[in-house]
Amino acid sequence: SPAGAGKLLVIAPEGSHWLSMKKVLLELSKRGHKIVVIAPDNKILIDSSDVYELKTYPVPLMKEVVEEHVR
């Protein structure tokens, strides 16, 4: 392989972009990459996984407020 496994830092977008990115992260993990995902603490779709380490950061909007806007 021309590239070796490495470490990846992913700033996770909420929504359909995340659903697509999750599949890519699964494949990268299978190839030996170590992945850290950074997401806001009011995330809706972004969840913990054995594939990556999830770290969150505080944001001023509560999760309930974000979910209400999505509805």
Side-chain angles (χ1 to χ4, degrees):
S1 162
K7 296 179 181 179
L8 297 170
L9 176 63
V10 177
I11 300 173
E14 190 68 71
S16 62
H17 296 297
W18 171 248
L19 298 175
S20 299
M21 185 179 287
K22 240 171 116 167
K23 294 176 185 178
V24 172
L25 296 181
L26 176 61
E27 286 302 315
L28 289 170
S29 176
K30 287 179 184 177
R31 296 175 188 205
H33 293 278
K34 293 186 181 191
I35 305 165
V36 174
V37 173
I38 298 176
D41 60 2
N42 65 356
K43 62 196 174 9
I44 298 172
L45 295 174
I46 303 165
D47 52 353
S48 298
S49 173
D50 294 337
V51 172
Y52 52 83
E53 178 183 353
L54 177 62
K55 295 191 179 240
T56 60
Y57 57 90
V59 292
L61 290 174
M62 295 177 58
K63 184 175 182 177
E64 294 79 20
V65 173
V66 173
E67 287 176 337
E68 185 61 34
H69 283 289
V70 169
R71 285 185 219 141

